Amino acid sequence: NVSTFDVILLKTNGYYNGSDLKGGFWNGHFKYKNTYDTAWKVWSGISVSNMTDTITNSFTNEYSSITGGGINGTKNYAVCFLGGTIVPEKTTKLTGFYVTNTTYAYKTIKAGSAFSKKFGGTSGNDKDWYRLKVISYSGANKSDSMLFYLADFQNDDNSKDYILNKWTWVD
């Protein structure tokens, strides 16, 4: 089964972040979990967005992908913040998924922000990285895990440093 996000109805330049307190949403045969704190108006988990701002380097632009849209021109895509959980309707073998950075993450890694330095530091030699950790469970038991780097500045050869700025398949 393929899970896309265009079935989630959003306003233009909109997003769904769980502010309805439903704990997430169903898309295809998968439940994408999220939480929303009404006191602080903050969310975590997985949201859906169709925001297109590839310029603004601010935490207020947390829902835009650096590509300006979803994979292959789709409007909607998922955004993950502070960990996300995807629960299949039934036991499912997940073969992979596409990922990229948000605009905010990409721009902050590249240039720094009021909250952080740019990756590589002033000299370009700082060994920085930003990665996604994927953990698979069978019931309550961890069955597998992998790391995928969204930015990697750990190589001694700085020409090999990168920040992901396109949708990339994670197998």
Side-chain angles (χ1 to χ4, degrees), residues 15 38 74 107 115 117 122 135 142 154 160-161:
Y15 57 86
T38 56
T74 59
K107 298 282 185 174
F115 307 107
K117 68 173 183 72
T122 305
I135 303 171
K142 181 177 167 182
Q154 299 178 91
K160 294 184 179 176
D161 295 346

Side-chain angles (χ1 to χ4, degrees), residues 62-152:
E62 65 185 314
Y63 297 103
S64 292
S65 72
I66 190 60
T67 66
I71 183 75
N72 297 328
T74 59
K75 290 182 181 178
N76 293 358
Y77 50 89
V79 178
C80 185
F81 179 65
L82 294 178
T85 301
I86 303 169
V87 180
E89 187 174 51
K90 59 184 178 185
T91 301
T92 302
K93 180 179 180 179
L94 183 64
T95 58
F97 52 91
Y98 286 94
V99 298
T100 194
N101 280 301
T102 63
T103 300
Y104 178 48
Y106 179 88
K107 298 282 185 174
T108 299
I109 291 166
K110 187 171 179 116
S113 73
F115 307 107
S116 68
K117 68 173 183 72
K118 71 177 187 169
F119 273 36
T122 305
S123 68
N125 293 325
D126 291 1
K127 305 295 184 199
D128 298 312
W129 50 265
Y130 180 50
R131 68 185 183 200
L132 170 68
K133 183 173 186 178
V134 180
I135 303 171
S136 176
Y137 289 87
S138 178
N141 300 316
K142 181 177 167 182
S143 61
D144 198 7
S145 67
M146 66 169 288
L147 300 175
F148 181 83
Y149 286 83
L150 297 163
D152 192 350

Side-chain angles (χ1 to χ4, degrees), residues 10-75:
L10 299 174
K11 294 178 183 177
T12 301
N13 274 318
Y15 57 86
Y16 165 78
N17 64 3
S19 62
D20 60 3
L21 305 180
K22 290 183 178 178
F25 60 94
W26 281 94
N27 184 33
H29 296 281
F30 300 92
K31 171 132 189 197
Y32 295 81
K33 292 186 170 186
N34 59 31
T35 59
Y36 188 85
D37 183 320
T38 56
W40 293 94
K41 297 186 185 327
V42 296
W43 68 282
S44 63
I46 301 174
S47 70
V48 179
S49 174
N50 64 18
M51 295 186 74
T52 60
D53 182 348
T54 62
I55 305 299
T56 306
N57 181 15
S58 168
F59 66 90
T60 61
N61 190 24
E62 65 185 314
Y63 297 103
S64 292
S65 72
I66 190 60
T67 66
I71 183 75
N72 297 328
T74 59
K75 290 182 181 178

